[in-house]
């Protein structure tokens, strides 16, 4: 997040979600003999905690030198790394700051195009952009888990089109959380209460009810 040209909030959230999907669909993760396969599977079994930190300048260049994948949005750049234990972070990641990840949209984002997968955020939640990026990543991962193989392949081949939007009302949010679509419930480590519903993953190929 460069000071002079930070990304818009929605761009950052959508890029973070696509970064998670890119990691999950990478051959290093999917192949049984892939170098990230066992680490990702163990992480999925123990809980998919995600941490978002910001980097700029030399910090970003050092982070890009570590094994991972960089995904770009309209202005956002997100580098996603295979999971590591909380006490085993590489020094160049551990020294990065959590603060400074809060950015805003200069104007409300447009309605998603018909048929676009949408990660809906609860309208009453107050989350920093960094926290919301992690939640969008969870929602994308839940969607990925719920899709049949053919739908996963089609989504990946299309470049993981998606939108992140805030539900327009509490009534709409209640319908979404009761629809049978995947719902992310936060563990409560930071910012919001444990068990809070944060994201509903709405993909056309996900089962409902």
């Amino acid at each position: 997040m460069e000071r002079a040209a930070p990304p818009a909030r929605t761009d950052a959230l959508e890029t973070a979600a696509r970064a998670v999907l890119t990691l999950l669909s990478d051959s290093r993760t999917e192949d049984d003999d892939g170098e990230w396969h066992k680490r990702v599977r163990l992480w999925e079994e123990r809980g998919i905690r995600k941490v978002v930190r910001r980097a700029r300048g030399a910090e970003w260049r050092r982070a890009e030198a570590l094994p991972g994948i960089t995904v770009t949005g309209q202005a956002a750049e997100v580098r996603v790394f295979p999971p590591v234990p909380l006490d085993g972070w590489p020094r160049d990641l551990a020294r990065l700051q959590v603060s400074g990840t809060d950015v805003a949209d200069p104007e409300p984002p447009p309605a998603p195009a018909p048929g676009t997968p949408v990660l809906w955020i609860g309208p009453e939640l107050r989350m920093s952009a960094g926290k919301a990026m992690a939640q969008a990543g969870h929602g994308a991962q839940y969607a990925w888990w719920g899709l049949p193989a053919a739908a996963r392949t089609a989504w990946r081949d299309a470049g993981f089109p998606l939108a992140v939007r805030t539900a327009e009302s509490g009534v709409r949010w209640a319908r979404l959380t009761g629809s049978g679509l995947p719902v992310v419930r936060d563990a409560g480590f930071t910012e919001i209460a444990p068990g809070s519903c944060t994201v509903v993953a709405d993909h056309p190929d996900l089962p409902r009810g």
Side-chain angles (χ1 to χ4, degrees):
M1 289 188 175
E2 299 294 344
R3 289 188 181 93
R9 181 183 177 100
T10 296
D11 182 25
L13 269 59
E14 292 175 350
T15 306
R18 288 193 294 109
V20 170
L21 293 165
T22 302
L23 174 76
L24 295 174
S25 63
D26 191 277
S27 61
R28 289 167 288 185
T29 297
E30 286 209 311
D31 294 350
D32 289 345
D33 58 352
E35 60 183 291
W36 298 341
H37 180 81
K38 290 182 179 179
R39 292 162 63 182
V40 171
R41 293 296 172 264
L42 182 62
W43 169 63
E44 291 175 336
E45 291 169 3
R46 293 184 176 180
I48 55 169
R49 187 175 183 184
K50 298 178 178 67
V51 178
V52 175
R53 298 194 177 193
R54 63 131 175 102
R56 57 175 61 101
E59 296 172 333
W60 176 256
R61 291 190 291 274
R62 287 192 293 267
E64 278 209 303
L66 298 171
I69 304 170
T70 297
V71 176
T72 59
Q74 295 177 8
E77 288 184 277
V78 173
R79 187 160 183 84
V80 62
F81 301 94
V84 295
L86 286 174
D87 59 357
W89 280 39
R91 181 180 178 185
D92 286 332
L93 295 185
R95 66 197 299 177
L96 298 178
Q97 299 296 310
V98 174
S99 62
T101 60
D102 212 9
V103 290
D105 283 316
E107 57 186 37
T116 301
V118 182
L119 304 173
W120 295 103
I121 295 178
E124 302 300 325
L125 297 172
R126 296 293 178 265
M127 298 186 287
S128 67
K131 176 72 171 180
M133 288 168 72
Q135 299 303 305
H138 291 335
Q141 189 159 357
Y142 278 31
W144 182 252
W145 283 346
L147 289 173
R152 285 185 179 185
T153 299
W155 200 15
R156 181 197 64 205
D157 291 349
F160 294 119
L162 58 83
V164 179
R165 297 291 187 270
T166 299
E168 60 270 23
S169 67
V171 172
R172 170 66 169 155
W173 182 241
R175 290 174 180 167
L176 285 165
T177 55
S179 66
L181 291 166
V183 179
V184 178
R185 290 178 171 83
D186 192 63
F189 292 119
T190 60
E191 296 192 25
I192 57 178
S196 298
C197 296
T198 58
V199 176
V200 173
D202 186 0
H203 188 290
D205 293 312
L206 284 170
R208 284 149 173 80

